[in-house]
Amino acid sequence: GVICVGIGYALAPLVFRLAGAEARVAELGVVYTRIYWAGGAFVLVQVAGDAICRGHGDTRTPFKIGMASLVLNAVIDPLFIRGIDGILPAMGVAGAALATVIASVFASTMYFIVLRGRGWFRPQRPSDEELRFDATTRLGSPALAGLDPAMFRRIARIGLPTFATSVLFNVILLEMMRVAEHAGGPAAQAGLTIGHTGEGFAFVICLGWSAAASSLVGRRMGAGQVNAAERAAWRATWQCALLNVAFAVLMFAFADQLAWLWAKEAEAQVHAASYYRIVAFCLAPQAVEIVIDGAFGGAGMTVPPMIVGVTLAAARIPLAWWAVFDLDLGVAGIWIVIAVTASLRGLIIGYWFSRGTWKTKSV
């Protein structure tokens, strides 16, 4: 997070240029992005604390800390944006960013207190028996912060593919925003943003079940219960898929009303409603992808989700241009490409997991 502060600060203007944002939007967006990145270390500490708790089978603590952080953000956000006469100046977009950073500082501090209180921050290196998952696990001598090079390689080998996937997804999303701008102008861009916002409920459900799958698979693999790990992964997948089917039906049926909630302009509402009706068909396979992604992570095998996810997400860019301008599908062509590629990702990653190569993975 500390390393990324400088990178985020320097590249903030480039991000909005790639998205084809209007000058005023870019100006405000750069301000928000730079302040947000300044607190990037705290944001990542919060994510790490969440993962540590889930690794111990505790999902309630992340929920409680996350909710407290959200409430804090909701309270101070309007105060920082609008100001308080004679006490706090109005900061606008900068205030919104600062409120988000403060909420992350609060959450990361709470995680530090909780984890230390539970003894999960140790002053000495754990024994080789605790660190070694099996007889072939390589260990080294403790180095910086008690982390030996072999342990660092293990963490990086699991974490870097997920990191790379997240970065590339955001870059690809920026390019899709540019395609939308060429296809339908700012209204189409707004439709894409609003579409993601409304779809976000299903995505959050998937993240919750993905976290559960990751924790359950990791703990059962650690106990040598491979078959139980597989059953837990598929049970979480089908539960999440069913929930997403229910949400997809609602999203399809009430697409116009959902678009009206988020969009002010009539043209943006039309694009957003079209997005909801088309993307509703991919929510179930999308659940398979995200939950199985978590299951792969619990087994320490994050490369397959990266390969499938990045390849098909990158394919969206040329396919979207082709659908919009060669097939003359207009803005709806972008939504169709998103739905088809999301469905394919779910089918492929589900098949890859069913092959069982993760069962013999040595971390």
Side-chain angles (χ1 to χ4, degrees):
V2 172
I3 292 172
C4 289
V5 169
I7 299 173
Y9 186 91
L11 295 183
L14 176 62
V15 169
F16 291 93
R17 284 201 299 270
L18 289 175
E22 297 175 350
R24 181 56 178 163
V25 174
E27 179 185 350
L28 295 173
V30 168
V31 171
Y32 183 97
T33 303
R34 284 176 167 169
I35 295 174
Y36 182 85
W37 272 104
F42 296 103
V43 175
L44 295 187
V45 167
Q46 180 180 353
V47 174
D50 178 37
I52 291 169
C53 287
R54 286 192 283 103
H56 284 272
D58 176 13
T59 57
R60 292 185 179 181
T61 298
F63 173 76
K64 292 176 182 178
I65 293 178
M67 286 299 297
S69 176
L70 286 172
V71 170
L72 175 62
N73 199 348
V75 170
I76 65 176
D77 214 0
L79 300 179
F80 280 38
I81 292 172
R82 298 172 183 148
I84 303 175
D85 290 339
I87 300 176
L88 185 69
M91 291 182 279
V93 170
L98 184 58
T100 301
V101 171
I102 291 173
S104 294
V105 172
F106 166 79
S108 60
T109 303
M110 291 301 299
Y111 270 119
F112 182 82
I113 294 171
V114 169
L115 298 179
R116 186 167 185 173
R118 295 179 180 179
W120 293 349
F121 285 156
R122 301 187 187 181
Q124 71 281 340
R125 176 179 182 270
S127 66
D128 285 357
E129 287 71 24
E130 289 182 270
L131 292 177
R132 181 173 283 116
F133 290 164
D134 58 51
T136 64
T137 301
R138 293 183 299 169
L139 297 175
S141 301
L144 180 65
L147 188 67
D148 63 62
M151 181 66 73
F152 178 79
R153 284 195 298 272
R154 284 162 59 185
I155 293 174
R157 193 170 65 187
I158 297 172
L160 283 177
T162 302
F163 162 76
T165 301
S166 298
V167 171
L168 290 171
F169 264 119
N170 282 288
V171 173
I172 291 165
L173 177 59
L174 290 174
E175 185 61 26
M176 293 296 285
M177 292 288 287
R178 193 164 73 90
V179 178
E181 197 276 334
H182 279 273
Q189 282 189 321
L192 178 56
T193 303
I194 295 163
H196 277 298
T197 302
E199 180 194 359
F201 183 79
F203 183 72
V204 170
I205 293 174
C206 293
L207 289 181
W209 262 255
S210 177
S214 178
S215 179
L216 291 169
V217 170
R219 291 170 69 83
R220 281 159 174 72
M221 290 287 287
Q225 302 171 352
V226 178
N227 291 332
E230 184 174 23
R231 287 195 300 270
W234 284 117
R235 189 176 296 120
T237 300
W238 300 134
Q239 288 177 4
C240 187
L242 287 173
L243 288 171
N244 267 19
V245 166
F247 181 74
V249 171
L250 293 175
M251 193 168 78
F252 185 90
F254 298 99
D256 292 326
Q257 291 81 356
L258 191 59
W260 177 82
L261 285 176
W262 298 103
K264 293 182 179 179
E265 298 180 357
E267 189 177 356
Q269 290 178 13
V270 171
H271 289 310
S274 172
Y275 179 97
Y276 293 139
R277 291 192 180 95
I278 293 172
V279 172
F281 290 95
C282 78
L283 293 189
Q286 179 176 277
V288 175
E289 179 207 357
I290 297 173
V291 178
I292 293 298
D293 189 341
F296 265 124
M301 195 171 176
T302 54
V303 172
M306 180 189 72
I307 292 173
V308 175
V310 171
T311 300
L312 284 170
R316 285 178 172 177
I317 298 171
L319 288 174
W321 286 106
W322 176 64
V324 170
F325 298 106
D326 292 342
L327 297 183
D328 200 25
L329 295 176
V331 176
I334 303 174
W335 315 154
I336 293 172
V337 167
I338 290 174
V340 170
T341 52
S343 299
L344 286 174
R345 288 206 311 260
L347 294 172
I348 294 171
I349 202 68
Y351 169 73
W352 199 327
F353 187 80
S354 69
R355 293 176 61 221
T357 53
W358 55 274
K359 296 179 180 179
T360 56
K361 179 69 175 178
S362 177
V363 181

